[in-house]
Amino acid sequence: MSAPQDSSNVEPKEVSSFERWRQRAAWVTGLGLSPEDQKKREEFNLLKGMESDWKRCEKWKTELLHNSPAVVFMMKQLQLIDCNVTAEHLQCHPCHKVSAGGFSPQHGILLCQDGFFNKKHMEDTVVHELIHMYDHAKFKADMTNIKHQACSEACVRMRAVASLVQNPACPGQAAAEKAVDEVWDSCIKDTRPFDE
């Protein structure tokens, strides 16, 4: 039987293996990392999380475009008015959880990959933004005009006001409420494309 070796007799290859194991353990747990390595670990985990959010968003987007009756309906209605929207017009990006999505005539539909509670929430957001796209294409709605946006949002008064307040062109809560009130009677009656 041989005597136990002290660490001074351990060969460099074994120390190297142990050190690699220790570094991996430190990386996983975050314990024992230098401030520089801790920052690298946080950046890595952030990027890994963003990649995971993006993959989930893209997967759900594809599924909704093929399987959601409401999304398929809106896509068809857009095609009927010569607005040939494709999956590429719906872009998944990180938004730092400030919203679930948005519509821009120049850029299409933004889907906030880190802003969805679940697939149903994403579906509701996609339909909501497709309605904005429809209103813009059919009625030339100008989303920088808060009255136009209020009309497009008028499916639910509270949501319309909340959405307007987030518009940089809206000076505040009072202006948002006023805009919604001014267009409410005419816009609430307009249920296109759902009644066509």
Side-chain angles (χ1 to χ4, degrees):
M1 201 178 222
S2 64
Q5 296 180 344
D6 65 52
S7 61
S8 62
N9 293 335
V10 177
E11 294 187 32
K13 185 176 180 184
E14 292 175 30
V15 171
S16 173
S17 295
F18 173 77
E19 184 58 23
R20 280 195 309 271
W21 175 86
R22 188 199 65 74
Q23 288 173 348
R24 284 189 194 130
W27 188 264
V28 169
T29 64
L31 299 173
L33 292 176
S34 68
E36 181 181 317
D37 286 341
Q38 185 67 28
K39 185 175 179 183
K40 286 179 187 175
R41 178 179 180 268
E42 289 169 5
E43 289 170 357
F44 173 81
N45 286 337
L46 178 65
L47 289 174
K48 188 176 173 183
M50 288 171 58
E51 180 182 21
S52 174
D53 289 343
W54 181 82
K55 285 179 179 177
R56 183 188 66 214
C57 182
E58 287 292 327
K59 178 179 183 276
W60 286 354
K61 176 181 81 172
T62 300
E63 291 171 2
L64 291 171
L65 286 170
H66 291 94
N67 303 322
S68 164
V71 172
V72 170
F73 173 80
M74 283 305 304
M75 295 292 283
K76 181 178 179 184
Q77 294 305 308
L78 284 159
Q79 288 175 350
L80 291 173
I81 60 168
D82 293 325
C83 182
N84 295 316
V85 62
T86 66
E88 288 75 36
H89 291 98
L90 287 77
Q91 296 287 316
C92 295
H93 292 284
C95 302
H96 309 292
K97 301 184 181 184
V98 295
S99 69
F103 167 70
S104 161
Q106 297 82 16
H107 303 104
I109 293 175
L110 167 67
L111 298 174
C112 294
Q113 66 192 36
D114 52 355
F116 299 115
F117 304 117
N118 53 43
K119 189 174 170 183
K120 177 66 175 143
H121 182 213
M122 183 175 178
E123 179 181 30
D124 292 344
T125 300
V126 170
V127 170
H128 178 87
E129 301 308 333
L130 287 170
I131 291 169
H132 288 315
M133 184 179 276
Y134 179 89
D135 287 347
H136 174 74
K138 176 92 174 176
F139 306 112
K140 307 298 180 232
D142 174 9
M143 293 305 172
T144 63
N145 179 324
I146 64 172
K147 286 185 181 179
H148 287 201
Q149 185 185 356
C151 191
S152 188
E153 299 282 357
C155 53
V156 179
R157 188 183 293 258
M158 246 174 56
R159 184 169 180 178
V161 171
S163 187
L164 288 179
V165 169
Q166 292 186 13
N167 184 332
C170 182
Q173 180 81 20
E177 290 173 2
K178 183 178 179 205
V180 170
D181 289 343
E182 288 176 3
V183 301
W184 185 262
D185 289 337
S186 63
C187 295
I188 197 66
K189 295 172 188 166
D190 180 8
T191 57
R192 290 175 286 188
F194 296 101
D195 62 348
E196 292 180 350

